[in-house]
Amino acid sequence: MMNGNHIEKKVHKIVLTGGPCGGKTTSQARLKTFFEGLGWKVLCLPEAATVVIGCGIRWNDLNEEQVFQVQENIIKTMLQVEKSIDDYVASQNHDCLIICDRGVMDATAFLNPGDWEKMKEVNPEWNEIDLRDNRYHQVIHMVTAAKGAEDFYTIGGHKTRRENLDGARAVDDLVSHAWIGHPYYDVIDNSTDFEEKIRRTTVTICNRLGIDVGDRLAANAIKRKYLIAKIPDDKDFPAFLDFDVVHDYLLASNENQVRLRKRGRDGHWSYTHTVRQPKINDQVVECRMNITRREYEHSV
């Protein structure tokens, strides 16, 4: 963005929402890799409810007042984490993409009737216009596999996911209704295979940003790698950053291919865990998620 002779950085804050097993985690990892390849700094925010509930909270042990308190604190946790990242991004000179695994309105979808209005009374600075419309530049609803891709629906590998197919569909509807009113709300359904679903997600964000990515996101695009005899001098290339990449392939007890990736430079790393599943209905599905250094080191 131009302001006189000054080039302003772009900041794009998105929410990945939808019912369980819609591809949010894999999309987050793919988007990070793709936009980093364009020179953007990418910040991935975890799902606040998973962090809080994963500490050991059991809903069945709580009364209504305690449930209200936990839900309110999940929203406050989300707001604080986002503020920390917003403050960090404000200090950066790079174009920045902030990817939120669910946003504030997702939390409101799971409240008991009347609790959201009560929370807004207790927290008078909370309102839908600021928390929904002004807070996020774009909302991507990735429809649960329970709607149209039932053979791929699973609750495996998720600490807090318990929904069956009907439950997943109900959650998908709830969060969809919670985001009604956002000016830039895009739905990515299951009308294509999973790889195309991830591609459509990336294309939707690029279109919103006005990014011309050429044919690199074309459905028939092929990644080619070449072995070269000699690397030209740096001055012969356009501006670039080089990274070290390490892949570790793990032994799996089933037919899945499990691998870890460590990518970074100057001693700073990001880590990804990928599970490549056998073909289901002639589709090969890869599920990717970002992991911590401790999780990486424990696995290798």
Side-chain angles (χ1 to χ4, degrees):
M1 183 180 299
M2 297 294 297
N3 181 8
N5 294 323
H6 176 63
I7 301 177
E8 294 184 359
K9 70 182 180 187
K10 293 181 179 179
V11 176
H12 195 60
K13 186 175 183 180
I14 69 169
V15 171
L16 296 181
T17 185
C21 197
K24 295 187 296 297
T25 302
T26 297
S27 286
Q28 196 175 58
R30 297 281 189 91
L31 288 168
K32 180 177 175 64
T33 298
F34 179 82
F35 275 88
E36 285 181 341
L38 297 180
W40 286 57
K41 183 176 288 292
V42 181
L43 292 307
C44 298
L45 281 62
E47 183 181 6
T50 299
V51 173
V52 174
I53 298 170
C55 292
I57 294 175
R58 298 182 179 179
W59 292 112
N60 293 337
D61 296 338
L62 308 179
N63 58 37
E64 289 188 7
E65 182 179 352
Q66 291 169 330
V67 168
F68 180 93
Q69 183 184 55
V70 171
Q71 293 281 22
E72 182 183 23
N73 283 330
I74 287 174
I75 295 176
K76 289 181 177 179
T77 298
M78 196 178 303
L79 294 175
Q80 182 57 54
V81 171
E82 289 184 20
K83 182 182 185 304
S84 298
I85 297 303
D86 290 343
D87 290 346
Y88 170 77
V89 165
S91 69
Q92 300 298 301
N93 295 321
H94 296 81
D95 292 336
C96 294
L97 177 67
I98 304 172
I99 308 173
C100 304
D101 188 343
R102 300 199 180 280
V104 173
M105 300 312 296
D106 285 280
T108 70
F110 300 97
L111 297 176
N112 293 324
D115 278 358
W116 178 230
E117 295 302 320
K118 182 179 177 182
M119 281 189 190
K120 288 190 292 183
E121 292 177 3
V122 176
N123 302 275
E125 71 279 12
W126 290 5
N127 66 81
E128 284 85 355
I129 298 300
D130 285 334
L131 295 180
R132 181 192 63 215
D133 303 351
N134 294 335
R135 190 171 191 83
Y136 309 102
H137 298 107
Q138 186 176 11
V139 178
I140 306 292
H141 182 109
M142 304 194 71
V143 176
T144 174
K147 290 182 175 180
E150 290 82 357
D151 289 343
F152 298 92
Y153 183 77
T154 177
I155 59 175
H158 197 286
K159 296 179 180 178
T160 60
R161 184 181 295 166
R162 298 291 183 269
E163 299 87 352
N164 57 19
L165 286 171
D166 288 337
R169 296 178 188 122
V171 169
D172 198 88
D173 290 340
L174 284 172
V175 296
S176 175
H177 292 153
W179 287 103
I180 290 175
H182 192 282
Y184 300 110
Y185 175 81
D186 296 284
V187 177
I188 310 296
D189 61 17
N190 296 303
S191 57
T192 61
D193 63 27
F194 187 71
E195 284 300 314
E196 177 65 9
K197 184 178 185 180
I198 301 298
R199 189 192 73 84
R200 285 158 53 210
T201 300
T202 307
V203 168
T204 298
I205 296 169
C206 288
N207 287 344
R208 184 68 63 193
L209 284 165
I211 294 176
D212 181 8
V213 294
D215 61 356
R216 71 176 68 189
L217 288 176
N220 60 349
I222 299 175
K223 181 188 292 184
R224 300 184 184 276
K225 299 181 180 180
Y226 299 91
L227 181 64
I228 60 177
K230 180 181 178 182
I231 300 177
D233 292 335
D234 288 354
K235 62 181 177 58
D236 295 327
F237 291 96
F240 69 94
L241 286 176
D242 54 358
F243 294 87
D244 295 317
V245 179
V246 178
H247 282 101
D248 297 286
Y249 289 81
L250 308 182
L251 293 176
S253 58
N254 49 30
E255 297 180 1
N256 292 342
Q257 180 195 92
V258 182
R259 65 181 185 270
L260 304 176
R261 187 185 74 161
K262 180 173 74 168
R263 177 180 184 269
R265 62 196 306 266
D266 299 330
H268 301 285
W269 302 92
S270 62
Y271 306 91
T272 306
H273 176 275
T274 300
V275 177
R276 183 182 177 91
Q277 301 175 357
K279 283 188 176 182
I280 303 176
N281 294 345
D282 294 325
Q283 291 187 46
V284 174
V285 177
E286 283 194 354
C287 297
R288 300 185 188 180
M289 67 175 67
N290 296 319
I291 59 174
T292 65
R293 183 183 60 136
R294 178 176 294 181
E295 290 171 325
Y296 173 84
E297 292 176 347
H298 177 74
S299 298
V300 297

